[in-house]
Amino acid sequence: MGSDRSRLGFYLLLAPILLWLVVLIILPHIGLFLVSISEKIGPREYETGFDNYAAFFTEPLYWRTFARTAIMSIMATALTLILGFPIAYYIAKLTRGRTKTTLFLMCMIPFWVSELVRTFGWMILLRETGVISNVLQYLGLVNGPVEMLYNDAAIMVGLVYTSILFMVVPLVTTLDSLDDSLIEAGYDLGGTSTSIMREIVIPHAMPGIVSGCIVVFMLSLGNYLTPILLGGKDSLWFTGMIYTQFITRFNWELGSAFGFLLLALSSLVVFLGLKFSGQSLSETMGRP
Amino acid sequence: MKYSLVSSFVVASLFTAHTAQAETLRLLTWGGYAPEEVIAKFEAETGHTVEVTTSNNEEMIAKLRATNGGGFDLAQPSQDRITSAQEEFGIYKPIDMSRVNADLFIPSMLSATAGNTTFDGDVYGLPHVWGTSGLVVNTAMAGDVQDYTDLCDASVAGKVSYRLKRPTLIGFAYSMGLDPFAAYGDADAYQGILDQVEAKLTECKPNVKTYWGGGDEIKNLLRSGEVVASMAWDTGGWQLNADNPDITFVAPEAGALGWIDTFVLPARGRADDAAYDWINFVMQPEIAAMITNTAGNFTAAVDGDAGVSADLKARYQGSFDQDAIDNIKWYPPVPAGLEALEGATLDRINAAN
């Protein structure tokens, strides 16, 4: 009787997450998959097959965009890590008390406004009649207006800026949990700064690094606004292609197939990343 | 005479408001087509309430397709995009002409739109707002730009913008001496035209600053001087002309591209009464003039231009002489499947270096 009741409680508590998973994630994906395997042969005529997936592999444009998106996302992730690690290390190890809270808060404040507003902010800075261009002209460093928008570098800046918080937070948490006495012991035993970083700090921070990288990679790969707005005429991005297939081409079948390919790609890259770094998903994501 | 006609109409609509059930009209339209003041007047006269969602042609079709024609009671896609969407997705229902006050419409436009939106013997569209797209040029800095292909000229390198959408393909094709509308029915011939336009637009790509997406984006680029010549809608050019007299709409030598936005009833709309009331309401001359003054484009309403501001009329006449009006290329209905060809072409242009 008692165990029945506790079991009921267990299922009741489980219900919201199950509903969430089934209704909002699993069912739409089944629907999307069914759409992706229907081929259009005429108005309102469809048959089942894998032509949409075949179209992806036969049209170089599609898989080139796909590869470009993946490579640029990986580069953005690496850049975010390189920029984020010193920040996180400084916050976690070299500051105390109120300074620490203030610095942490300063990292978060930009994220209180929406991504759209932040991206427009970058457009105001980088455009030809924008802030940076005007300042450079005022200082006499350049002769005419300079256009810094609408290229791959602008996309990269936007992506790093959009996702750096998601790198800093897990890094600060893992670095916080590293006992300072371990670093002191390293110095006592004659270690140099480099060797301590390599032998003690980075191995300890590995779960944080990997979980930060996973999140940043996913965010960059699935980003739509930043590449489209900052990239201009060179803004080929796979999510943009999915949008185009769905909205302007009325080709939901191909769009759904693209969606599944993107899902497969991100899963594959995360899997490879975990393999190479020797981490397991449960360890990186399960640790607070 | 006109006054009495209008007042009797107002009385009639008041009368119907008392007999008919008040409904919520969910209107899917373009920015500017349902100004606040018009909505307030309509709600006061009929008792219906209006919820407006602004969108564009592609999104309207995508939204209605997602719900099989539900979620909205009245939509306003362009007339050339109705029959193909109806054929492919069945998202509209036919117009009941007995419930429309046909006297309010300019007869030639009403019959032309009826012809273009007939599918399986039923009429699906009524004309509302019409306008053109062509070139918006900063005449002080790019006075030589007179045609679509002039955008590829070296004198305006890096200061040009257009959309990566079908009007660009069509405009360039006309400017290159081709006739895309004549090839609508022949997929092979049309592909041949698309291939030539693709080569031209790929070659032209280094000239382009960016492909614009929304009306505000291109206005911003032109106003700041970052872009001096662009393909855009006539209204955009006239609005900019009000701020900066150098910038205006130019009807291209190859012809401006003419569109008519319509009224259509989504297949699963629930408030048909309110939808017909709205149509008959906004087509009254003085309401049509209010819409023209906010949207910047003229309507298919009889005498709808009488109450339009003199400034707007002057700008319209400045951009269009009689030859330019006669040279407008009106979009014929797009056959189903043609957009897939155009889509592939646009994708390749987007990816080209």
Side-chain angles (χ1 to χ4, degrees):
Chain A
M1 193 65 189
S3 79
D4 274 1
R5 187 170 292 171
S6 72
R7 180 167 285 181
L8 181 69
F10 171 74
Y11 283 121
L12 277 178
L13 287 172
L14 195 66
I17 186 77
L18 270 183
L19 269 179
W20 170 274
L21 276 174
V22 173
V23 176
L24 295 176
I25 296 174
I26 297 176
L27 284 181
H29 274 87
I30 294 174
L32 206 64
F33 183 70
L34 291 179
V35 175
S36 79
I37 56 165
S38 55
E39 297 161 13
K40 189 170 151 191
I41 49 172
R44 298 199 218 181
E45 276 180 274
Y46 297 94
E47 57 184 34
T48 309
F50 286 90
D51 257 19
N52 295 313
Y53 292 92
F56 171 80
F57 292 101
T58 47
E59 172 70 61
L61 165 68
Y62 296 146
W63 56 259
R64 272 192 208 143
T65 311
F66 195 67
R68 177 187 137 91
T69 309
I71 290 166
M72 283 192 64
S73 298
I74 292 171
M75 279 166 63
T77 310
L79 256 171
T80 315
L81 179 62
I82 292 167
L83 286 171
F85 194 87
I87 300 173
Y89 190 81
Y90 187 81
I91 293 177
K93 288 285 156 228
L94 304 177
T95 54
R96 292 277 172 274
R98 182 173 283 184
T99 330
K100 188 172 190 159
T101 328
T102 316
L103 283 176
F104 205 50
L105 203 65
M106 278 170 66
C107 286
M108 277 208 245
I109 282 173
F111 291 79
W112 290 0
V113 297
S114 84
E115 189 187 345
L116 186 64
V117 177
R118 272 179 279 144
T119 310
F120 273 123
W122 276 108
M123 291 182 80
I124 292 170
L125 288 177
L126 296 177
R127 67 187 299 171
E128 200 179 322
T129 52
V131 176
I132 295 180
S133 171
N134 276 328
V135 168
L136 287 178
Q137 286 176 78
Y138 177 76
L139 295 176
L141 295 173
V142 289
N143 287 325
V146 268
E147 176 68 273
M148 279 171 277
L149 211 53
Y150 311 127
N151 54 44
D152 287 356
I155 298 182
M156 204 53 98
V157 167
L159 285 178
V160 170
Y161 183 75
T162 312
S163 46
I164 197 154
L165 178 74
F166 302 94
M167 184 65 89
V168 169
V169 170
L171 281 179
V172 168
T173 331
T174 44
L175 287 173
D176 246 349
S177 70
L178 172 65
D179 196 338
D180 287 353
S181 58
L182 289 175
I183 298 174
E184 280 163 32
Y187 279 114
D188 288 346
L189 293 169
T192 60
S193 301
T194 339
S195 68
I196 288 168
M197 193 53 83
R198 199 179 58 233
E199 305 290 335
I200 300 174
V201 180
I202 291 182
H204 183 86
M206 211 54 199
I209 293 175
V210 173
S211 70
C213 285
I214 291 176
V215 174
V216 170
F217 176 73
M218 297 282 206
L219 283 175
S220 305
L221 196 70
N223 203 324
Y224 173 73
L225 276 176
T226 308
I228 300 295
L229 287 176
L230 299 180
K233 65 173 173 175
D234 291 326
S235 65
L236 270 188
W237 206 255
F238 203 63
T239 45
M241 283 215 139
I242 298 178
Y243 175 88
T244 322
Q245 291 303 336
F246 269 91
I247 305 295
T248 55
R249 311 267 188 277
F250 313 128
N251 195 345
W252 287 17
E253 296 73 32
L254 192 57
S256 309
F258 283 2
F260 267 92
L261 289 164
L262 189 65
L263 186 67
L265 171 76
S266 52
S267 311
L268 180 76
V269 172
V270 168
F271 173 78
L272 289 177
L274 288 169
K275 267 272 169 295
F276 286 130
S277 62
Q279 302 287 315
S280 76
L281 192 65
S282 58
E283 191 173 335
T284 49
M285 290 298 171
R287 227 152 93 163
Chain B
M1 184 61 200
K2 205 168 103 191
Y3 176 75
S4 70
L5 186 101
V6 168
S7 59
S8 65
F9 184 78
V10 169
V11 170
S13 61
L14 276 175
F15 181 69
T16 49
H18 284 294
T19 52
Q21 197 77 33
E23 293 176 316
T24 300
L25 174 69
R26 295 162 302 170
L27 178 63
L28 183 58
T29 186
W30 300 75
Y33 286 16
E36 285 294 328
E37 37 180 3
V38 171
I39 291 175
K41 260 184 124 165
F42 176 74
E43 290 180 343
E45 281 191 19
T46 62
H48 300 307
T49 45
V50 183
E51 287 171 10
V52 176
T53 307
T54 56
S55 188
N56 59 41
N57 266 326
E58 288 85 8
E59 279 184 17
M60 280 183 206
I61 297 170
K63 276 187 169 121
L64 292 172
R65 182 188 174 186
T67 54
N68 291 320
F72 295 95
D73 307 305
L74 188 62
Q76 301 209 262
S78 301
Q79 63 163 3
D80 56 315
R81 308 293 279 273
I82 293 173
T83 49
S84 59
Q86 180 61 19
E87 183 182 355
E88 298 238 24
F89 314 125
I91 51 179
Y92 304 127
K93 58 186 161 195
I95 301 275
D96 179 357
M97 290 306 285
S98 67
R99 303 190 59 184
V100 177
N101 186 352
D103 297 341
L104 296 171
F105 291 84
I106 295 169
S108 62
M109 291 189 77
L110 187 63
S111 62
T113 301
N116 279 335
T117 60
T118 299
F119 178 70
D120 270 357
D122 289 318
V123 173
Y124 286 87
L126 296 168
H128 182 210
V129 176
W130 66 272
T132 66
S133 56
L135 298 164
V136 175
V137 176
N138 188 328
T139 47
M141 292 153 96
D144 292 342
V145 175
Q146 297 291 330
D147 207 349
Y148 301 107
T149 43
D150 290 344
L151 294 173
C152 305
D153 194 77
S155 64
V156 286
K159 295 195 164 292
V160 162
S161 182
Y162 43 77
R163 286 194 298 172
L164 212 49
K165 283 202 173 174
R166 58 188 315 270
T168 309
L169 300 176
I170 309 273
F172 269 77
Y174 271 114
S175 188
M176 291 160 72
L178 305 165
D179 190 350
F181 291 161
Y184 259 20
D186 180 350
D188 291 333
Y190 197 69
Q191 186 60 55
I193 292 179
L194 286 178
D195 289 343
Q196 295 179 54
V197 174
E198 180 186 333
K200 180 75 186 171
L201 285 172
T202 306
E203 179 199 316
C204 194
K205 197 172 178 183
N207 247 30
V208 177
K209 182 177 210 63
T210 185
Y211 299 124
W212 60 272
D216 288 327
E217 187 182 355
I218 185 59
K219 275 187 255 169
N220 209 341
L221 285 166
L222 283 159
R223 198 177 277 131
S224 69
E226 290 181 23
V227 162
V228 296
S230 151
M231 270 188 80
W233 293 295
D234 44 14
T235 49
W238 295 331
Q239 279 166 16
L240 288 167
N241 187 257
D243 305 340
N244 179 350
D246 285 341
I247 305 177
T248 192
F249 179 81
V250 174
E253 281 166 10
L257 302 171
W259 44 264
I260 301 175
D261 289 337
T262 63
F263 293 111
V264 293
L265 297 169
R268 288 168 56 223
R270 290 196 301 255
D272 286 355
D273 291 339
Y276 284 112
D277 285 350
W278 175 264
I279 295 171
N280 290 326
F281 180 79
V282 296
M283 294 310 285
Q284 300 170 82
E286 62 275 35
I287 306 290
M290 283 164 81
I291 292 177
T292 299
N293 284 332
T294 45
N297 280 117
F298 293 89
T299 65
V302 173
D303 290 332
D305 55 352
V308 170
S309 75
D311 281 354
L312 184 59
K313 277 186 186 166
R315 293 197 181 99
Y316 168 78
Q317 281 153 5
S319 296
F320 286 104
D321 53 22
Q322 192 56 44
D323 283 349
I325 293 174
D326 295 339
N327 197 20
I328 293 176
K329 307 282 191 284
W330 295 95
Y331 285 107
V334 185
L338 207 68
E339 276 155 306
L341 302 178
E342 294 169 345
T345 303
L346 292 171
D347 280 344
R348 284 194 292 273
I349 297 168
N350 192 21
N353 281 315

